[in-house]
Amino acid sequence: MKIENSSPARLVVVSNRGPYYLRMTKQGLKREKTVGGLVTSILPMLEKRGGGVWIAWGERAGRYPGAAGPSPFDLRYISLTEEQLQGYYLGVANNALWPLCHSFLGRVHYDDTEWETYRQVNAQFAEAVLEEAHDGEIVWVHDYHLALVPHLVRQARPESRLLFFWHIPFPPVELFRTLPWRREILEGLLASDIVGFHIPEYADNFVEAAVEILGAEARGDQLVYDGRNTQVLARPIGIDYEAVSRTSRARVIEERARRIRQNLNGQQIILGVERMDYTKGIFERLEAMERLLERRPELYGRVTLIQIVTPSRNNIEAYRQKKRETDEIVGRINGRFSDGFWMPIRYLYRSFTPAELMAYYRAADIALVTPLRDGLNLVAKEYIACRPEADGVLILSEFAGVSQQLPEALLVNPYDRQDMVEALGRALAMEKPEQRERMLLMQKRIKEQDISWWADEFLSRVDDLAAAKPIHRYSLGERDMKPVQPMPLVGIG
Ligand code: GDG
């Protein structure tokens, strides 16, 4: 079933960041797409669905029909004060939940005052939801910034149809226990009809936390708590494969890719693309590159790593620190190995347009996607979609959720430099037939499990729940308890 036909219900999407930055110019209001994994997938989903509203934080608060452009949905931007952003976004979301969920316990900072702000801001989002959502509409809340919203909406409007998707890993219960607000977060999420994660490991961690910390009861894929059921579902988010693949074949992108290759005189190109973040393993990857060059002098002048890093969260010290470390190691490696004609690392620290990015994907012989931990990772999927000749090699961290969908990639442990060096060696030497065999399998899967598939996996289920229409809607046994199809992924325990 395609999303277009799956349900007539209008969708209310709620997330911290919206799809566009809006700024006033002499020509009027201009919009510019924001960068990040959530927007990459959710924007085409809402566009395809053809109606709805997206509620998010935005500097220009207000309601924008057509999302201030020709979009088929409206935007509702909520304004937050500097102090609120500090506590809710930089504090709880980025200094507590982000490191905790990526298992970086040493970077975690818990602060009660910031938590108060997080609650306050979640209440503000919930209020906007209550204003925007009408009877029968589906409210789909996204990510760890807004974990309390489902509970707040449910309290005010018990019959709401609520979905929640958690885009980052959900940590093992031993780590999650350290969170002072663990009960509230779990209760917040359990007010949803469905809570979604990318892969079964995160869903299992969540179920374990709900059982151990809240005393919820696990029944199949349902959690029973406080007199109601919540379905827990693992489905990896997709990209708009057809659109990405089609655009990447455009003449202008081909031409740009050709120029990138020409500039590097036919060298083999290795590519890294990410936001500046300590979870993405940029530093470790550069160390692996250094070791490769130490061991293989015959590669001098024959291989270049293009490392694109998009500035992100640079008002947090941990991020500024990572930026300094990255600058230093790039300087060290280039200083050590460059010979005046060749430079092993091209380090591009800025934001690119989607078209520019696609040209890099097309130009690269190898994509090096080696986060230390990543909920899923869309860069790997985009690289695959941008290989019309079905060539190229993907080196992928086993700690990225997407590795479960892509066993044909060269899987590596990003903490193990030797493993990374060996994978680079293998990738540089891989013959075209092997590249093709692996790439075709990956393309098939990522194309099938695209954004429409993913959205439909959730939306059709929430429709089924509504169709069941029990009298006491949330009491056990009255919901549609049909078993969920086994997850169509490979290699999951
Ligand atoms: C979170 C989770 C999960 C990057 N630089 C530029 C740019 N990008 C785009 C990429 C890609 C997106 O940003 C990054 O997505 P990721 O999935 O790799 O990572 P996060 O932003 O951390 O996303 C992640 C995701 O949510 C979805 O659930 O996969 O695990 O952490 O689309 O192409 N885009 C443009 N210019 C850039 O310079 N235009």
Side-chain angles (χ1 to χ4, degrees), residues 59-186:
E59 275 163 14
R60 300 186 65 87
R63 207 172 186 296
Y64 300 92
S71 300
F73 62 90
D74 300 338
L75 263 190
R76 161 89 182 257
Y77 275 170
I78 294 176
S79 74
L80 298 177
T81 63
E82 265 311 305
E83 205 188 336
Q84 284 180 317
L85 281 171
Q86 191 67 38
Y88 143 82
Y89 179 68
L90 298 178
V92 174
N94 288 332
N95 264 332
L97 293 173
W98 177 269
L100 171 66
C101 291
H102 288 84
S103 301
F104 284 85
L105 204 53
R107 291 186 183 268
V108 154
H109 175 77
Y110 300 140
D111 179 310
D112 282 341
T113 322
E114 291 175 346
W115 175 248
E116 273 317 305
T117 314
Y118 182 92
R119 294 171 77 178
Q120 197 187 84
V121 171
N122 271 246
Q124 224 167 299
F125 272 86
E127 237 170 75
V129 171
L130 292 167
E131 279 168 27
E132 293 288 344
H134 306 109
D135 270 359
E137 294 179 352
I138 298 170
V139 178
W140 197 343
V141 186
H142 292 269
D143 236 355
Y144 58 102
H145 313 85
L146 301 173
L148 308 182
V149 170
H151 181 69
L152 294 164
V153 172
R154 177 77 65 206
Q155 269 184 326
R157 210 176 280 165
E159 290 303 310
S160 301
R161 299 161 79 190
L162 289 169
L163 290 179
F164 191 100
F165 193 81
W166 187 269
H167 288 255
I168 62 176
F170 198 90
V173 66
E174 310 85 82
L175 295 185
F176 189 72
R177 271 183 194 292
T178 63
L179 188 68
W181 324 295
R182 57 200 189 182
R183 287 188 69 90
E184 269 182 88
I185 293 274
L186 292 171

Side-chain angles (χ1 to χ4, degrees), residues 264-268 293 296-304 337 339 341-344:
L264 290 170
N265 298 321
Q267 291 177 58
Q268 281 188 289
L293 294 172
R296 307 259 319 258
E298 75 277 14
L299 293 177
Y300 297 178
R302 298 192 154 164
V303 55
T304 290
F337 296 101
D339 61 5
F341 300 99
W342 167 72
M343 206 167 44

Side-chain angles (χ1 to χ4, degrees), residues 296-347:
R296 307 259 319 258
E298 75 277 14
L299 293 177
Y300 297 178
R302 298 192 154 164
V303 55
T304 290
L305 167 63
I306 300 179
Q307 178 62 60
I308 292 178
V309 182
T310 311
S312 178
R313 306 179 192 171
N314 37 24
N315 32 15
I316 298 178
E317 175 50 27
Y319 286 73
R320 290 197 295 270
Q321 165 82 15
K322 263 291 151 214
K323 162 78 170 55
R324 287 194 292 273
E325 285 173 9
T326 309
D327 291 353
E328 264 172 39
I329 190 170
V330 169
R332 183 175 87 207
I333 298 173
N334 277 341
R336 200 172 152 197
F337 296 101
S338 299
D339 61 5
F341 300 99
W342 167 72
M343 206 167 44
I345 298 173
R346 304 275 171 127
Y347 171 45

Side-chain angles (χ1 to χ4, degrees), residues 393-405:
V393 184
L394 174 63
I395 300 179
L396 183 58
S397 163
E398 59 188 80
F399 303 123
V402 75
S403 66
Q404 313 233 318
Q405 255 179 315

Side-chain angles (χ1 to χ4, degrees), residues 35-38 40 98 102 167-168 198 237 273 275 280 310 350-354 357 361 374-379 382:
V35 169
L38 188 149
T40 297
W98 177 269
H102 288 84
H167 288 255
I168 62 176
H198 288 302
I237 205 167
V273 177
R275 291 184 300 99
K280 299 287 184 185
T310 311
R350 68 180 177 84
S351 194
F352 288 84
T353 64
L357 216 51
Y361 288 141
D374 212 336
L376 191 74
N377 192 288
L378 296 179
V379 168
E382 288 163 358

